[in-house]
Amino acid sequence: MSYTVSRVKWEQAAPLLKNVREQVFVYEWRIPKKIEFDRKDHFANHVLACHDKTQQPIGTGRILSSGEISRIAVLKRYRKDQVDRIILQKLFSIAQEMKLKEIFIYSPLETIDYFRENHFNTSGAVFMEAGMPKQKMTCLLNKATVAKYYLSH
């Protein structure tokens, strides 16, 4: 199967982005809507992954001007296809366009070792977000590699 990831504006694509994020974060992960959708959405650079044949939205992610990558969500039935990989590649590309030197994520604890293997380093203390323990991880953009699979809230 093939997928296309496009950079989109929140104002035009919010219904599509919200649909994917609600299915993954609100319904599957049980994150309250008021936490999932924040005012940062209006300032972020968003990407939307669509199935090439059906044109249906299947994944999303965002990057802020601070270098924070977040809200990566892929519908469950497409996770085996590593759609997150092309979403991350697009987010890294946007980070390069923004001339960022460093990117960071707030990783669930169970994925820390994986990100360490991909040039991310832990930074600061473990904290709770939406009822989940997380750890900030940073990476110099020129060393960034694409994770095999993960969801990031």
Side-chain angles (χ1 to χ4, degrees):
M1 289 192 217
S2 61
Y3 310 97
T4 301
V5 178
S6 303
R7 189 176 193 171
V8 295
K9 293 188 181 286
W10 179 258
E11 294 77 18
Q12 286 81 31
L16 301 173
L17 297 166
K18 284 182 176 182
N19 183 27
V20 172
R21 285 171 47 185
E22 280 181 354
Q23 288 183 59
V24 173
F25 294 125
V26 176
Y27 302 127
E28 186 179 335
W29 286 28
R30 307 272 188 236
I31 294 172
K33 272 189 184 182
K34 65 181 180 179
I35 293 174
E36 173 54 30
F37 300 104
D38 58 23
R39 59 190 163 118
K40 293 177 186 177
D41 279 322
H42 297 278
F43 306 105
N45 290 283
H46 295 269
V47 297
L48 182 66
C50 292
H51 188 283
D52 283 342
K53 187 174 180 181
T54 65
Q55 295 303 302
Q56 293 297 307
I58 59 166
T60 185
R62 74 179 187 188
I63 185 168
L64 301 171
S65 60
S66 64
E68 178 186 354
I69 290 177
S70 64
R71 302 311 199 261
I72 295 173
V74 176
L75 298 180
K76 195 171 194 169
R77 65 185 169 273
Y78 297 102
R79 291 181 194 156
K80 67 183 180 324
D81 298 333
Q82 298 183 349
V83 175
D84 62 306
R85 186 176 184 86
I86 55 175
I87 290 171
L88 282 172
Q89 288 173 339
K90 186 68 170 180
L91 292 171
F92 291 163
S93 173
I94 293 169
Q96 289 172 333
E97 288 174 22
M98 296 166 64
K99 302 199 183 314
L100 296 174
K101 293 182 174 137
E102 184 175 81
I103 54 176
F104 65 95
I105 60 168
Y106 293 113
S107 172
L109 293 185
E110 62 269 11
T111 60
I112 286 177
D113 288 338
Y114 180 80
F115 284 108
R116 279 192 179 129
E117 293 170 7
N118 290 285
H119 307 288
F120 281 83
N121 297 303
T122 57
S123 174
V126 172
F127 64 96
M128 296 296 287
E129 181 183 57
M132 292 188 289
K134 292 196 172 185
Q135 172 77 55
K136 181 178 181 180
M137 301 192 77
T138 61
C139 178
L140 295 176
L141 191 57
N142 63 356
K143 291 191 175 189
T145 59
V146 177
K148 180 180 174 192
Y149 173 71
Y150 81 103
L151 297 175
S152 171
H153 180 261

